[in-house]
């Protein structure tokens, strides 16, 4: 099976034609989930001793399996955080797969890693972090948060007296679920800090929490763009408080960090230059395919000190350059997953990114305005990024749920309910510049 035959050649044509057709599909269908039993009965056993052949496997994927998988880039997919990879990024993902590059060490992946580092450095520059900041692309915000929090704790462990109880992170109640999950993996605690009237974590509240718990706090985790509402914590007051207390400041911008790309929203992030670590997921709002999270450390050595793996068979790598991406998170083998993002950035230039993010901000502003004009919906929070949270006046949680199921089944939209202050809300999250205002109107009409 490791040779290129006429059959392989024909399969290549088919696979590339399929990828090409899917990438240019317009409109993109939402698709719909099926049960495992349904898929069993339609597809049967696909793993057999003799193989079913590439053309048959591709046919099953095209006819059954892809239609049973939602298209996250569907223009009326406004749930969670969707995605809208550029054509250039998607096409280059095929190339990355074809090239068998090991992205863990400079020796093995220097060219690809150099390109990834240029893309990371653009993120650093829009974040306002100092030169010398560096890091690595990891699979997602969850791993990015975990890796940064591990580095934060290690930094405290090496410079501060042992607190005699688990180290803790100060976080706001609006922090992403992955922050708590990371703390759990680490055996660390999270201490919830109250937010201000705009639901932001801010310096004064953190200062009070430090006065109470300071000797066991190893880091503050701020969010620059909460998933539920798009709230950017008050980094301008958090930064100085963390610096004064010599406490690691990690900023989770998995969703919202992309808004640094445009001048319009960049001022919301003032203070980010104080961060010791920062993440943003290009696979969310920076138009890269899954899976891709940019993880940056102000002092990469602080991350290397805990994350670098040591073994006899790895020592050889240390002789070649000092930038081994494996050293900056919990991983060894890694796909050069930053390359599709790099290729698209290099292709289109950063102005195009600013414009695309601006379009999604315009969509959010349009939706917020439309909602405030209608009498059966109301804004639940004034949007600052591209999340628009609103209530359907008079509906119970069951009615929210039923509407979502019905619209998904009808292939009309994918808008799931969320909760705010224990009450149901809907939220639109705009990351797809192909979404139109007519589609927003259509969804709002369906809620009448
Ligand atoms: C999505 C998200 C995460 C988790 O990122 P994954 O890439 O899904 O692992 C973390 N933090 C925030 C704020 C997010 O929106």
């Amino acid at each position: 099976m490791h040779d290129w035959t006429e059959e392989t050649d024909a399969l290549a044509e088919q696979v590339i034609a399929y990828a090409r057709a899917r990438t240019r599909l317009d409109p993109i269908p939402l698709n719909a989930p099926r049960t495992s039993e349904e898929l069993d009965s339609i597809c049967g056993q696909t793993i057999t001793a003799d193989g079913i052949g590439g053309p048959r496997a591709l046919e099953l994927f095209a006819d059954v399996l892809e239609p049973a998988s939602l298209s996250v880039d569907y223009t009326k997919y406004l749930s969670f955080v969707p995605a809208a990879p550029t054509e250039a990024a998607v096409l280059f993902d095929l190339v990355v797969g074809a090239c068998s590059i090991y992205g863990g060490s400079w020796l093995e992946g220097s060219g690809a890693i150099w390109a990834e580092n240029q893309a990371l450095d653009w993120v650093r520059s829009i974040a306002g972090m100092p030169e010398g900041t560096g890091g690595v692309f990891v699979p997602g915000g969850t791993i990015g948060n975990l890796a940064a929090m591990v580095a934060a704790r290690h930094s405290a462990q090496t410079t501060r007296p042992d607190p005699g109880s688990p180290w803790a992170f100060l976080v706001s109640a609006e922090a992403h679920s992955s922050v708590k999950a990371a703390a759990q993996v680490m055996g660390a605690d999270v201490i919830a800090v109250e937010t201000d009237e705009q639901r932001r974590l801010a310096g004064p509240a953190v200062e009070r929490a430090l006065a109470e718990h300071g000797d066991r706090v190893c880091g503050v985790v701020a969010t620059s763009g909460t998933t539920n509402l798009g709230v950017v914590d008050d980094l301008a007051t958090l930064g100085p408080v963390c610096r004064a207390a010599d406490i690691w400041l990690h900023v989770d911008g998995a969703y919202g960090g992309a808004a640094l790309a445009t001048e319009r929203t960049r001022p919301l992030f003032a203070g980010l230059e104080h961060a010791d670590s920062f993440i943003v997921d290009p696979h969310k709002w920076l138009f890269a395919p899954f899976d891709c999270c940019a993880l940056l450390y102000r002092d990469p050595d602080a991350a290397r000190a805990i994350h670098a793996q040591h073994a006899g068979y790895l020592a050889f790598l240390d002789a070649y350059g000092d930038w081994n991406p494996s050293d900056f998170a919990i991983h060894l083998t890694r796909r050069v997953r930053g390359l599709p993002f790099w290729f698209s950035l290099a292709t289109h230039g950063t102005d195009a990114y600013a414009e695309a993010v601006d379009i999604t901000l315009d969509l959010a502003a349009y939706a917020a305005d439309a909602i405030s004009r209608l009498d059966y919906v109301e804004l639940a929070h004034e949007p600052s990024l591209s999340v628009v949270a609103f209530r359907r006046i008079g509906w119970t949680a069951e009615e929210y749920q039923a509407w979502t199921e019905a619209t998904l089944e009808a292939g009309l939209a994918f808008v799931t309910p969320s909760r705010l202050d224990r009450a149901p809300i809907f939220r639109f999250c705009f990351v797809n510049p192909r979404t139109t205002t007519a589609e927003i109107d259509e969804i709002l009409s369906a809620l009448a």
Side-chain angles (χ1 to χ4, degrees):
M1 60 193 186
H2 284 86
D3 45 19
W4 190 277
T5 61
E6 262 173 45
E7 229 173 274
T8 324
D9 214 61
L11 189 62
E13 294 293 333
Q14 283 181 45
V15 167
I16 291 166
Y18 185 79
R20 182 190 179 110
R22 170 58 180 85
T23 308
R24 66 187 301 185
L25 210 55
D26 181 21
I28 293 162
L30 171 58
N31 298 337
R34 307 190 88 137
T35 64
S36 180
E37 291 73 25
E38 283 176 312
L39 294 170
D40 278 345
S41 85
I42 300 168
C43 300
Q45 184 60 31
T46 57
I47 306 304
T48 64
D50 294 331
I52 60 172
R56 174 68 186 140
L58 182 62
E59 183 181 50
L60 280 176
F61 183 76
D63 295 348
V64 185
L65 304 177
E66 194 189 1
S69 311
L70 298 194
S71 310
V72 178
D73 54 348
Y74 167 67
T75 48
K76 287 179 286 175
Y77 186 128
L78 304 179
S79 292
F80 315 118
V81 180
T86 64
E87 282 78 358
V90 168
L91 293 171
F92 207 71
D93 208 38
L94 294 176
V95 175
V96 173
C99 290
S100 295
I101 297 167
Y102 176 87
S105 72
W106 188 263
L107 165 67
E108 290 158 280
S110 61
I113 295 163
W114 177 88
E116 284 191 301
N117 285 349
Q118 282 218 331
L120 282 174
D121 200 58
W122 175 64
V123 174
R124 173 202 69 76
S125 70
I126 56 178
M129 293 177 77
E131 305 233 358
T133 295
V136 61
F137 287 102
V138 293
T142 300
I143 294 295
N145 283 336
L146 174 61
M149 288 164 67
V150 165
R153 181 176 64 183
H154 183 255
S155 168
Q157 279 170 331
T158 50
T159 54
R160 308 235 314 266
D162 188 282
S165 55
W167 289 96
F169 291 89
L170 299 181
V171 307
S172 99
E174 314 279 332
H176 190 263
S177 50
S178 60
V179 171
K180 204 179 273 179
Q184 223 153 31
V185 169
M186 296 167 66
D189 287 340
V190 290
I191 298 172
V193 179
E194 85 267 23
T195 51
D196 67 12
E197 67 291 345
Q198 295 169 66
R199 298 179 187 269
R200 299 179 310 170
L201 186 66
V206 163
E207 220 162 15
R208 286 193 295 275
L210 282 174
E212 195 176 334
H213 308 281
D215 50 347
R216 67 188 198 100
V217 173
C218 62
V220 171
V221 179
T223 312
S224 63
T226 57
T227 318
N228 207 28
L229 298 176
V231 170
V232 181
D233 286 340
D234 184 7
L235 304 174
T237 61
L238 287 172
V241 167
C242 292
R243 266 254 157 272
D246 197 20
I247 300 260
W248 188 290
L249 173 60
H250 172 61
V251 180
D252 174 1
Y255 150 66
L260 289 161
T262 166
E263 308 274 345
R264 232 162 96 179
T265 36
R266 200 174 301 152
L268 289 170
F269 297 78
L272 179 54
E273 65 276 9
H274 295 291
D276 293 290
S277 52
F278 173 58
I279 63 160
V280 55
D281 276 353
H283 71 212
K284 283 183 169 167
W285 196 8
L286 283 175
F287 320 118
F290 299 138
D291 44 16
C292 185
C293 167
L295 163 64
L296 289 172
Y297 301 96
R298 163 186 296 271
D299 175 10
D301 285 339
R304 190 187 273 124
I306 182 66
H307 286 307
Q309 298 186 25
H310 303 284
Y313 45 84
L314 295 174
F316 179 73
L317 297 172
D318 295 336
Y320 284 84
D322 61 358
W323 198 267
N324 295 324
S326 289
D327 292 352
F328 302 110
I330 302 135
H331 55 191
L332 187 61
T333 298
R334 63 177 288 275
R335 176 180 173 87
V336 279
R337 61 169 60 81
L339 278 192
F341 175 52
W342 162 78
F343 184 73
S344 181
L345 265 177
T347 298
H348 296 294
T350 58
D351 286 353
Y353 277 70
E355 279 163 34
V357 171
D358 277 343
I359 291 170
T360 57
L361 291 169
D362 287 342
L363 290 168
Y366 177 89
D369 185 59
I371 287 163
S372 62
R373 285 161 196 275
L374 294 167
D375 57 7
Y376 54 90
V377 282
E378 64 184 5
L379 284 179
H381 186 83
E382 200 56 46
S384 55
L385 299 181
S386 69
V387 174
V388 180
F390 63 98
R391 285 180 279 271
R392 171 60 177 81
I393 297 166
W395 276 12
T396 62
E398 291 69 35
E399 288 172 292
Y400 277 74
Q401 187 75 21
W403 182 89
T404 294
E405 284 169 15
T407 45
L408 170 60
E409 225 156 87
L412 174 80
F414 189 50
V415 176
T416 52
S418 178
R419 300 183 82 75
L420 184 64
D421 303 330
R422 289 187 209 86
I425 55 166
F426 279 122
R427 54 186 279 292
F428 293 154
C429 181
F430 295 102
V431 304
N432 193 337
R434 301 182 191 101
T435 301
T436 64
T437 53
E439 289 175 319
I440 297 170
D441 291 339
E442 190 194 329
I443 296 170
L444 288 173
S445 302
L447 279 162

